[in-house]
Amino acid sequence: MSVDINTHNRRRQIILLSGLYLLAVALGVGSALLWLTKVGVSGERVGTWRVNLLAGSRDADVYTRARIALGAVLALNRSETLYYTTDHDDNGVTLRAECHYRVEGLPPPARWWSLTAYDADHFLFPNDLKRYSVSSETVRLDNEGRFSATIGAPTNSSQSDASWIPTSRSGVIHLTLRLYSASEAVQHAPGLLATPSIRRVGACQ
Amino acid sequence: MSDQKSQWIRHFILAALVVVLIHGLTIWALPRLIMDRIITGGSADLTLERAGGVILPPPTDHNQRRIVMPSPDLLYAVCFFDLSDTPFRVTLETDYPRYWSIALYASTSDNFFVVSDKNVAGGKVDLTVVRSRQAESQVVSPTRRGMLLMRLLINSDPEVRKKAEMARRSLRCGPNFETQDVLFGT
C-alpha cells in the first residue's frame, strides 16, 4: 500500500514538474514574441512616424535585429535607404482600413521616395489596379510644393485617382515611407525630417 | 523547512532561469530562423525563373507573400550563397539609367555590403565574397551562408520595365566562375 502511495506521489511530482518547465519554455517564447511585436519599440520617433537607424546594420542589438527580421527583413542600411514607418494617425489612433486617411506633406529630400500601405501581416493589400504605393514619380505637387495621397478602401472615385492607395475594408494599416539616397542632412539627422501628416477623412465604415 | 518545500523552491528558481534563457534564445534565433527559411525555401523553389545562377522573381504585387514589406516599385533579382567550399562571385554590367543596388545579407539578416549605381563607375560590378580576406577587393561575409538581393527601381512604363529586365539578366552569381562564363552567360 505504501509503495503505491509513493509511486503515485512520484508520478504526480513528475507531472507537476513537467508542467512547470513547459510553462517556463512557453513563457520564454511568449514573452520574447510579445516584446518584439507589442511592447518594445525601437527607433527614433519623428511625429507619428518612427525611423530605425539600425535597420540592416551590423551594429543592431539583438532585439532590434529580431524586430527588423519580423517586420522588415532584408532592409537596407541607412546609407542606402531610410525607412519611416507608422500605424497611427496624427492623433495617435491606430490606422484602420475601415477609415480613409489623407497623407500630406513636403516631398522628402531624397533621390527617390515612396509611400506604401501594408496589411496587418506587412504584405501588400490585394487590389485589381495593382496600385500599392505613391512615389516621387507619381504624386502631383500643389502650388505650395506639397504632395497629398489618400489611403483607404476603394470608392467610385478612387479608380481614376493615381494618388489613392486602395486597402481592404477592414484590419490594420501599416505605412512605410522609403527614402532612397536621402540627402546628407537627413541621413545624419533623420529625426529632423518634416514627415507627412496623416489625418482621417470622414467617418469610418 | 521540509526537504520537499526546499526542492520546489529550487525548481521554481530553475524555471525562472529557463524563462530568461528561452526568452534570450528566441530573440537571438528568430532572425536566423527567418533567414534560413528564406534561403532554404528560395533555393528549393523551382517555380521561380532562374538564369545564370540568379533567381528572377516576377514583378512584386499582392501575391508575393514570402518576404514581408516587399516594395512594389522595385524589380528584384536574388542569389543565395554558401561559402563552405568556394568563394562566391558576382558580376554585373549594366547601363540601367535608374536606381539599382546589390545588397549582401548574412544568415543573421545583417546587410553587410551594398553597392549601387551611384558609386559604381560604368555600371560594372565584379566582386568576390569570401569568409576570410586574401585580397583587398574581396568582400568578407560574416557568415557561411547568405543571400544577394538586387533592387531595380521601375515604374509602369513598359520601356523602363524592359530595360530593368535586361539589367537584372546581366547579373551573374555563383561559385568562382570564369570571366568567359560571364560573357557567354553559362
Side-chain angles (χ1 to χ4, degrees):
Chain A
M1 188 68 180
S2 67
V3 172
D4 280 354
I5 290 170
N6 279 341
T7 309
H8 175 75
N9 282 344
R10 186 168 290 171
R11 272 189 193 154
R12 193 167 159 264
Q13 193 178 15
I14 289 170
I15 290 168
L16 284 171
L17 282 176
S18 304
L20 176 69
Y21 285 108
L22 277 175
L23 183 67
V25 170
L27 275 174
V29 174
S31 65
L33 294 178
L34 195 70
W35 186 261
L36 293 174
T37 54
K38 304 282 183 201
V39 184
V41 286
S42 60
E44 189 175 339
R45 196 174 172 146
V46 192
T48 191
W49 300 79
R50 279 193 181 273
V51 57
N52 197 324
L53 306 179
L54 294 174
S57 168
R58 292 172 76 173
D59 298 329
D61 59 87
V62 286
Y63 282 96
T64 300
R65 185 177 288 120
R67 198 168 287 118
I68 295 291
L70 267 181
V73 70
L74 305 179
L76 285 165
N77 63 45
R78 69 189 283 189
S79 66
E80 202 62 30
T81 309
L82 286 170
Y83 302 87
Y84 292 78
T85 59
T86 188
D87 45 18
H88 292 89
D89 66 13
D90 285 356
N91 294 322
V93 180
T94 302
L95 300 173
R96 305 282 316 175
E98 294 89 337
C99 312
H100 289 120
Y101 300 92
R102 179 139 313 135
V103 182
E104 289 177 308
L106 288 168
R111 179 176 168 198
W112 181 83
W113 62 268
S114 71
L115 175 71
T116 311
Y118 294 99
D119 66 13
D121 298 326
H122 293 197
F123 291 112
L124 298 167
F125 285 103
N127 72 84
D128 294 339
L129 297 170
K130 295 201 171 186
R131 191 191 298 146
Y132 313 103
S133 65
V134 294
S135 73
S136 46
E137 286 187 352
T138 60
V139 292
R140 284 188 182 170
L141 304 182
D142 64 16
N143 293 337
E144 294 172 359
R146 297 169 68 81
F147 79 89
S148 144
T150 307
I151 292 155
T155 64
N156 291 337
S157 63
S158 63
Q159 293 265 344
S160 57
D161 185 352
S163 67
W164 190 300
I165 308 175
T167 65
S168 61
R169 296 194 182 276
S170 64
V172 176
I173 301 172
H174 294 282
L175 293 181
T176 297
L177 179 68
R178 289 178 170 86
L179 274 63
Y180 281 84
S181 305
S183 69
E184 290 278 321
V186 172
Q187 270 189 49
H188 285 112
L192 297 180
L193 178 75
T195 47
S197 67
I198 306 169
R199 279 194 293 269
R200 205 185 80 198
V201 185
C204 300
Q205 293 166 357
Chain B
M1 194 186 291
S2 70
D3 273 358
Q4 205 178 13
K5 201 171 178 183
S6 65
Q7 205 177 19
W8 272 104
I9 290 171
R10 277 203 301 274
H11 280 300
F12 273 110
I13 292 170
L14 207 59
L17 287 174
V18 169
V19 172
V20 174
L21 193 73
I22 295 293
H23 175 99
L25 195 67
T26 305
I27 299 286
W28 178 85
L30 210 58
R32 289 159 176 83
L33 290 173
I34 289 170
M35 283 301 287
D36 182 66
R37 206 177 131 202
I38 292 171
I39 294 170
T40 309
S43 303
D45 189 346
L46 300 176
T47 63
L48 295 169
E49 189 185 348
R50 288 158 199 262
V54 183
I55 296 172
L56 304 166
T60 307
D61 64 15
H62 57 265
N63 295 311
Q64 194 287 99
R65 296 186 72 84
R66 288 164 189 269
I67 299 173
V68 292
M69 272 179 58
S71 173
D73 306 294
L74 299 171
L75 192 63
Y76 295 99
V78 181
C79 305
F80 300 106
F81 63 80
D82 184 338
L83 305 173
S84 300
D85 302 320
T86 175
F88 175 75
R89 188 161 169 215
V90 180
T91 65
L92 174 80
E93 187 166 353
T94 180
D95 59 356
Y96 189 59
R98 298 161 66 84
Y99 170 85
W100 61 262
S101 66
I102 290 175
L104 297 172
Y105 295 88
S107 58
T108 53
S109 81
D110 291 346
N111 172 207
F112 65 90
F113 178 85
V114 62
V115 64
S116 70
D117 63 322
K118 68 184 176 191
N119 47 29
V120 168
K124 279 187 185 177
V125 175
D126 189 345
L127 55 97
T128 305
V129 186
V130 293
R131 282 292 279 142
S132 56
R133 183 176 284 153
Q134 284 155 351
E136 193 60 36
S137 60
Q138 292 177 332
V139 178
V140 179
S141 170
T143 56
R144 183 175 57 80
R145 295 170 76 211
M147 68 177 283
L148 174 152
L149 187 60
M150 183 183 188
R151 295 169 163 89
L152 301 108
L153 180 60
I154 54 169
N155 59 23
S156 56
D157 182 349
E159 200 55 38
V160 168
R161 290 194 172 224
K162 192 176 158 190
K163 284 181 179 168
E165 192 62 53
M166 279 170 62
R168 73 170 180 166
R169 282 175 190 276
S170 72
L171 177 70
R172 293 284 178 273
C173 333
N176 214 356
F177 49 78
E178 296 301 318
T179 310
Q180 197 178 2
D181 295 337
V182 178
L183 290 175
F184 295 101
T186 54

